[in-house]
Amino acid sequence: MKRLELFEFEDFGWLPSDLRSGATNLIKILHRLVGTSEVLADLILGVREKVDFNQIVDLGSGSGGPMIETIDKINQRNPDTQISLLLTDLYPNQKIITDVEALNLPNIAYHPESLNALKLDTSPKGLKTMVASFHHMRPDVAKQILEKAEQSGEPILIYEIAKNNIPILIWWIMLPISLVILIIMSLCMTLFVRPLTIKQIVFTYLIPFIPIIYAWDGQASIMRTYTFKDIEELLGARKNKKYTWEISDAKKRNGKNAGYYILGYPVKN
């Protein structure tokens, strides 16, 4: 596999919740800047043409990422057949859950208990989504998630905002410059975080833990992202005639590439 098994701070359970939520707030801003919610809305509506569902169970939601905006766009386009969104996480952050609940948004809830992506067979029903989180999974775990999704007979949509198409040597050479650029970007992006808390300001500008975490995780995630060839290796020679898989580039409406997606869904008889 081309994918490298690098660490990301976000993967560690010991990472303080203030730093974790601070970094995920920046990721949320990034998704907004690149228009991820529009891309996801188009993908999900396309999935709904293939298989029927009325709930999305988002795995590894963090602070909600782009999915809150995504579900709003979907339901605005289809007011008569609205979809509900259940946000979940392996490490649920009570503050984030409280913040999401305080928004009092229709059709959106946050699952208060830990939900492991390996337990899809016992998870709530609906389209499972993994947005910019599949690369966190080791190959053995990623393979199990794909197998569990197929065994459950329910659809799953995995979306990655980046593609692992940089030669490894070039990535290492450019890493110091890339980290500096991302740290500077995070200092600017923080100004758009809402609500902007005192802790986010302190751990960004006075003790810059959040920019360091955001910069390293952002760079590491590129090399941890599975390539199309890697995914085909994970799927293997599957012969389930009742379930099918698609791997393809994701596109914006203007035709520009916007990451890629993996889609698994049951085949209609």
Side-chain angles (χ1 to χ4, degrees):
M1 284 191 173
K2 182 176 184 290
R3 176 186 183 273
L4 295 181
E5 187 53 56
L6 302 173
F7 79 89
E8 290 183 51
F9 289 105
E10 187 181 349
D11 291 336
F12 297 125
W14 52 257
L15 185 67
S17 60
D18 289 326
L19 300 184
R20 184 185 301 279
S21 60
T24 52
N25 284 340
L26 294 180
I27 295 171
K28 199 171 179 180
I29 297 296
L30 176 65
H31 281 300
R32 199 170 294 163
L33 289 173
V34 300
T36 301
S37 61
E38 194 70 44
V39 175
L40 284 170
D42 290 340
L43 286 173
I44 291 170
L45 288 171
V47 177
R48 210 178 189 192
E49 293 177 1
K50 303 175 188 291
V51 58
D52 186 46
F53 59 88
N54 53 26
Q55 176 172 255
I56 297 172
V57 181
D58 187 51
L59 307 171
S61 301
S63 61
M67 286 304 296
I68 292 176
E69 290 185 15
T70 298
I71 201 71
D72 182 54
K73 291 180 185 298
I74 290 172
N75 288 335
Q76 283 185 17
R77 294 190 207 174
N78 296 274
D80 296 329
T81 55
Q82 298 204 353
I83 300 175
S84 62
L85 171 65
L86 181 64
L87 301 167
T88 74
D89 205 89
L90 183 61
Y91 302 114
N93 184 314
Q94 186 55 52
K95 182 181 181 304
I96 290 175
I97 294 174
T98 301
D99 289 345
V100 171
E101 290 176 345
L103 295 174
N104 198 28
L105 298 172
N107 304 313
I108 297 176
Y110 208 120
H111 194 60
E113 300 175 3
S114 174
L115 184 62
N116 193 323
L118 284 175
K119 299 181 179 179
L120 295 181
D121 50 341
T122 58
S123 64
K125 300 295 184 182
L127 168 68
K128 306 303 186 297
T129 55
M130 296 184 71
V131 180
S133 60
F134 191 65
H135 66 268
H136 289 273
M137 312 301 165
R138 300 188 314 271
D140 59 321
V141 176
K143 185 175 183 179
Q144 289 182 62
I145 289 173
L146 298 177
E147 289 174 348
K148 290 287 187 180
E150 185 170 308
Q151 290 169 8
S152 72
E154 291 201 315
I156 183 170
L157 176 66
I158 297 168
Y159 174 76
E160 290 287 356
I161 191 173
K163 293 184 72 175
N164 184 351
N165 53 12
I166 303 172
I168 295 173
L169 180 60
I170 299 298
W171 182 83
W172 282 113
I173 292 172
M174 296 299 296
L175 181 59
I177 297 174
S178 300
L179 290 174
V180 171
I181 291 173
L182 285 178
I183 287 173
I184 294 173
M185 283 180 58
S186 70
L187 299 178
C188 299
M189 292 164 61
T190 298
L191 300 174
F192 297 94
V193 172
R194 294 292 183 273
L196 182 57
T197 65
I198 294 297
K199 289 181 179 179
Q200 180 107 23
I201 293 172
V202 169
F203 290 122
T204 297
Y205 299 109
L206 300 181
I207 310 172
F209 287 150
I210 292 174
I212 292 170
I213 291 169
Y214 174 78
W216 170 257
D217 283 9
Q219 279 301 296
S221 66
I222 294 173
M223 300 313 293
R224 295 181 82 190
T225 299
Y226 291 95
T227 65
F228 283 15
K229 187 176 180 180
D230 292 341
I231 298 162
E232 289 171 356
E233 184 177 334
L234 292 174
L235 289 170
R238 313 195 77 81
K239 298 180 179 179
N240 189 344
K241 295 181 179 180
K242 296 182 178 180
Y243 203 90
T244 190
W245 291 95
E246 295 178 10
I247 311 167
S248 181
D249 289 321
K251 301 281 188 181
K252 292 185 177 182
R253 292 188 174 182
N254 59 12
K256 291 184 178 180
N257 287 338
Y260 76 88
Y261 70 91
I262 309 166
L263 172 62
Y265 61 95
V267 178
K268 295 180 180 179
N269 296 326

